[in-house]
Amino acid sequence: MQTPHSQPNILVTGGAGYIGSHAAIRLLDDGHAVTVIDNLSRGNRGAIAQLARVGGARFCFVECALDDTAKLCEVMRASATEIVMHFAALAYVGESMERPLEYFTNNVVGGISLLNAMCASDVRKIVFSSTCATYGEPASENIPIQESLLQLPINPYGRSKLQFEEILRAECARANDANPLAAIALRYFNVAGADRALRVGEDHRPESHLIPLALEVAANTRESVMIFGTDYPTHDGTCVRDYVHVEDLVDAHIKAISALQGGEFHAWNVGTGRGHSVREVIESCRRITGHRIPERIGTRRAGDPAQLFADARAITRDLHWHAQHTELDSIVSSAWNWMQANPCGYQ
Ligand code: UDP
């Protein structure tokens, strides 16, 4: 692949997925050469087509599974990868409760295969998609959550992400290494919204996330949205989460690139520092779409903590990152714009 720019070549794992495709498009916009690997088990070919359109000769896609270390080595060598952004993962809390082995296999064993390939190909920089689910169910006095909080995940998804953080931390601290690993874990809170130019967006099948589900009701492709529990110890009884716009999240990755230091592992929260309840999210969807969005009350979903929102001061202090979309309505309206422009998603 040609590298006409001075920007480092980046390998994006899971680049056909929601967050990975937004990261890849931003990297292409910024002039990087980008190689995406994805096994397409959850990702969208439509996202790859968009990336190819935007990136031209600076973009390459290889269908490859994380556990294929030899193929990963080949791809890294062929693309002269300098930095890996690792998004490929299974990422549903509820599903992880039902299929823990798949989560550990994909998210931990797959990650180890990726690291082995990096090591063999002399690629020593990685930005890893971690999650606030690694914190588990923090006591109310520990909310907003700081990075120093003891991580005690309560579901296999959170545990698998924490285990890979620990592997990265140990690799960075490897003794007597002339070319040590540099790793940054970004602990995402709840990501929503879409590319402002609507080139890529959120299209999960099946969809399980609150904002797209509520918007599907407004788009008349779903009858109602279910609230998973109204008996949580929160101001209105529903779960509170910190919703961050996907473009802001991607911007944190861009800022992380310049903070990668050999032999160092760092982790930062990426959130807005504000929590919104399920009811508030549905209200925002009603405001933005003008649709009444009928709701049904259901029971709690296994593995869901009552409230999670970030103390995001560390990433602001250290990486000069600020969320641009600080209002929930702005995030919801971005997701709605994508859905209206793409009523069938990528299909
Ligand atoms: N939620 C809900 N109904 C749904 C989907 C989600 O009430 O149909 C709730 C869920 O229990 C959680 C919040 O909305 O408290 C955000 O869930 P989502 O699946 O969007 O993200 P997660 O927090 O699991 O990453």
Side-chain angles (χ1 to χ4, degrees):
M1 193 194 308
Q2 286 188 324
T3 53
H5 300 264
S6 56
Q7 299 279 47
N9 297 346
I10 312 234
L11 179 74
V12 175
T13 76
Y18 169 46
I19 300 172
S21 62
H22 283 80
I25 223 155
R26 166 72 191 268
L27 290 166
L28 291 168
D29 285 344
D30 288 359
H32 293 268
V34 174
T35 298
V36 162
I37 63 133
D38 200 298
N39 67 1
L40 295 175
S41 67
R42 302 278 163 109
N44 288 293
R45 276 194 192 277
I48 296 299
Q50 289 292 76
L51 295 174
R53 219 164 278 143
V54 171
R58 284 184 295 112
F59 176 72
C60 174
F61 170 63
V62 181
E63 190 170 338
C64 175
L66 276 182
D67 63 3
D68 192 344
T69 315
K71 191 161 177 185
L72 288 173
C73 285
E74 252 173 56
V75 172
M76 286 182 200
R77 291 200 185 116
S79 61
T81 296
E82 291 158 88
I83 300 171
V84 171
M85 286 196 181
H86 179 32
F87 298 92
L90 297 179
Y92 294 118
V93 167
E95 186 182 66
S96 81
M97 302 289 286
E98 285 158 22
R99 288 145 65 177
L101 187 59
E102 274 180 52
Y103 272 69
F104 289 110
T105 304
N106 202 81
N107 297 357
V108 183
V109 179
I112 291 170
S113 164
L114 177 69
L115 270 184
N116 278 324
M118 288 175 62
C119 213
S121 315
D122 213 20
V123 178
R124 310 301 290 155
K125 293 180 174 177
I126 180 167
V127 181
F128 169 55
S129 302
S130 189
T131 169
C132 62
T134 59
Y135 294 116
E137 172 103 68
S140 53
E141 66 267 24
N142 291 324
I143 302 236
I145 299 167
Q146 295 187 350
E147 288 83 351
S148 55
L149 185 67
L150 187 62
Q151 291 166 287
L152 295 169
I154 60 166
N155 49 58
Y157 168 59
R159 281 197 206 107
S160 68
K161 288 286 185 171
L162 177 57
Q163 286 180 7
F164 195 63
E165 277 198 17
E166 282 167 359
I167 290 164
L168 290 175
R169 193 190 295 274
E171 265 302 292
C172 287
R174 201 160 70 168
N176 304 321
D177 194 333
N179 185 16
L181 186 71
I184 288 177
L186 296 176
R187 297 181 187 148
Y188 305 171
F189 283 66
N190 285 60
V191 187
D195 173 48
R196 77 194 63 184
L198 306 178
R199 296 167 295 180
V200 286
E202 186 166 16
D203 184 1
H204 294 115
R205 285 160 203 258
E207 187 51 79
S208 74
H209 293 107
L210 179 61
I211 292 178
L213 285 175
L215 293 177
E216 283 178 14
V217 180
N220 295 317
T221 55
R222 185 178 293 275
E223 276 183 8
S224 62
V225 63
M226 173 85 84
I227 299 180
F228 293 149
T230 53
D231 58 349
Y232 284 96
T234 58
H235 65 279
D236 65 11
T238 66
C239 286
V240 169
R241 296 287 183 271
D242 184 337
Y243 294 86
V244 58
H245 194 284
V246 65
E247 286 187 333
D248 284 332
L249 176 76
V250 165
D251 192 52
H253 291 71
I254 302 299
K255 294 194 161 58
I257 291 176
S258 34
L260 286 162
Q261 296 283 346
E264 291 184 18
F265 169 87
H266 293 283
W268 282 284
N269 288 338
V270 193
T272 62
R274 288 178 61 190
H276 296 281
S277 71
V278 173
R279 286 192 193 282
E280 287 166 352
V281 170
I282 296 172
E283 272 312 318
S284 169
C285 293
R286 290 179 176 132
R287 265 194 307 279
I288 295 303
T289 63
H291 192 283
R292 65 188 183 89
I293 310 187
E295 66 191 36
R296 286 180 298 138
I297 308 298
T299 53
R300 291 182 176 198
R301 183 173 67 178
D304 266 345
Q307 51 172 347
L308 292 171
F309 58 94
D311 180 332
R313 286 176 300 179
I315 190 166
T316 300
R317 182 191 64 221
D318 300 336
L319 300 188
H320 309 291
W321 176 87
H322 292 93
Q324 302 298 314
H325 298 262
T326 51
E327 298 302 319
L328 184 58
D329 281 5
S330 153
I331 298 172
V332 168
S333 108
S334 151
W336 182 232
N337 288 344
W338 154 263
M339 199 176 275
Q340 284 188 300
N342 301 274
C344 302
Y346 286 109
Q347 286 183 359

